[in-house]
Amino acid sequence: MELSSTAYVILGLLRKGAKTGYEIKSVVDRSTRFFWAASYGQIYPELRKLAEAGLIEGASKPSGGRKRTEYRLTPAGRKELRRWLEIEPEVFEMRDEGLLKLFFAGASPDAAPKVIEAKRAHHEEKLRQLAEIEPLAKAAPDRFPYMVLRYGVALSELTIEWCDAALAELREEEEQARESRRSA
Amino acid sequence: MELSSTAYVILGLLRKGAKTGYEIKSVVDRSTRFFWAASYGQIYPELRKLAEAGLIEGASKPSGGRKRTEYRLTPAGRKELRRWLEIEPEVFEMRDEGLLKLFFAGASPDAAPKVIEAKRAHHEEKLRQLAEIEPLAKAAPDRFPYMVLRYGVALSELTIEWCDAALAELREEEEQARESRRSA
DNA sequence: CGGCTCATGTAATTCGTTACATGATTCT
DNA sequence: AGAATCATGTAACGAATTACATGAGCCG
C-alpha cells in the first residue's frame, strides 16, 4: 500500500508523542507548512486510513467534557517512517504565481515592480514567521528541524536580495530610457 | 469567469505568436516548468475553454498532411493577460519531499546525508538545464524571462551551497561523536 | 454573555498527473 | 524498416483546498 507524502508528515509528527488531528494541524502550520502544507480535509481522513493500516493508533483522551482522540505511532508505523526516510526523495514542486507574472511582464512592463514588491513582502513576512519559531528550533535536541529552518531563512533572504537587485535594475533602465528621450 | 493560473501560462506563451498545444507544452518544459508546470491533460482542455471564452482563437494549420491547430491571442485575451498581470500574485506553494525527510531525519539519522546529497544532485541537474537555455534568454529583447532565469540559478546555487554546509556539519558532528567515544 | 480556542469531521470542487490511444511525418 | 518526433486528445485517478457544519470549554 502506497502512502502519500502527507501521510508521512503525520507519521513524522507523531514520532515524538501522541497528538490529536487538531494538534497535528497546528504543528504543521508552524513548521512543515513552508515546504509541505496540509489541511484538515487531508489530515482527518488520513488519520483514519493510517489507523486502519495499523501504522497509528487512536485513543480517546477527553479533555474535560470535550471529546479528543490522540493518535500515536505503532511499532509498524515507526518502522514505515524509517523505511520512507531511507528512500530517495522524489517530489519537488514549486508554484510561484509571482515569477509567472514577472516572466510575462513584457506584455505590461508597468506591472513588474509591483509583482516584485509583492514577492519581496511575501518573503519578508515568511522571514518574520521563521524568526518567531527560530529560538525553539535552535534549542531543540533534534538538530534536523533547525537545519531545515535555516534553509528557509537563507531562501527568503536570497529572494529579498534578488528582489532588491531586480527593482534597482528596472529603475536603472527606466532612468536610461528617460535620458535617451531627453537627448532625442 | 475565473481562470486558473495555468490558463494564464497559455495566454502568456501565446503573447508573441501563435502556437499549437504541442508547442506550448514543449516551451513550458523549457521555461515556466521551473515555477509552474503543465501537462497535456491540462493544456488541451484549457485551450478549448479559452477558445470558447473568446480569449484565444484556433486555426487549422496542417503541416504536410499532419493535422495542426494553431492558437493565437484575441484582443480580449491580450487584455485579460494584462489585467491579470496587474493584480497581486497570490499562489506560492512548495512541496519538497527532501526537506520533509530531513526534517524528520532524527528518526533515522543515517538517512540524512543521502537525502541532502539527493537534493544537491537535483539542483545540480536543474542548474545544468538552466545553463542550457541561458544564452537564449540572455539574448532575447524581452528582459523579464532572463530575470526570472537568473533567480532560478541563484536559488539552485544557494541550495547547493547549503547542502554542502549541511553535509560538512553532519560530518563534523560524526567526528566529535567518534572522539568522545574514544576518550570514554 | 460573547468571542476565542479546541476539536472533529464531510462534501463539493478544483487542480493536476499518469496512462493510454491514435496516427502522421521525418530521420537514420 | 524502425525509431523519434509531431500532434491531439481522454479517462481514471489522486491530491488538496475551501467551505461548511457542529459543538464544547475557557477567558474576560
Side-chain angles (χ1 to χ4, degrees), chain A residues 130-169:
Chain A
L130 291 172
E132 222 169 83
I133 56 178
E134 201 254 335
L136 205 74
K138 189 171 186 174
D142 182 351
R143 63 208 175 285
F144 294 108
Y146 183 54
M147 228 176 196
V148 172
L149 181 136
R150 279 177 298 163
Y151 178 66
V153 169
L155 203 78
S156 285
E157 281 174 351
L158 170 97
T159 304
I160 290 168
E161 278 167 40
W162 176 85
C163 286
D164 288 338
L167 285 167
E169 207 177 303

Side-chain angles (χ1 to χ4, degrees), chain A residues 20 23 60-70:
Chain A
T20 66
E23 283 165 346
S60 184
K61 289 277 169 68
S63 144
R66 190 191 272 156
K67 271 200 281 185
R68 290 172 80 243
T69 307
E70 274 186 358

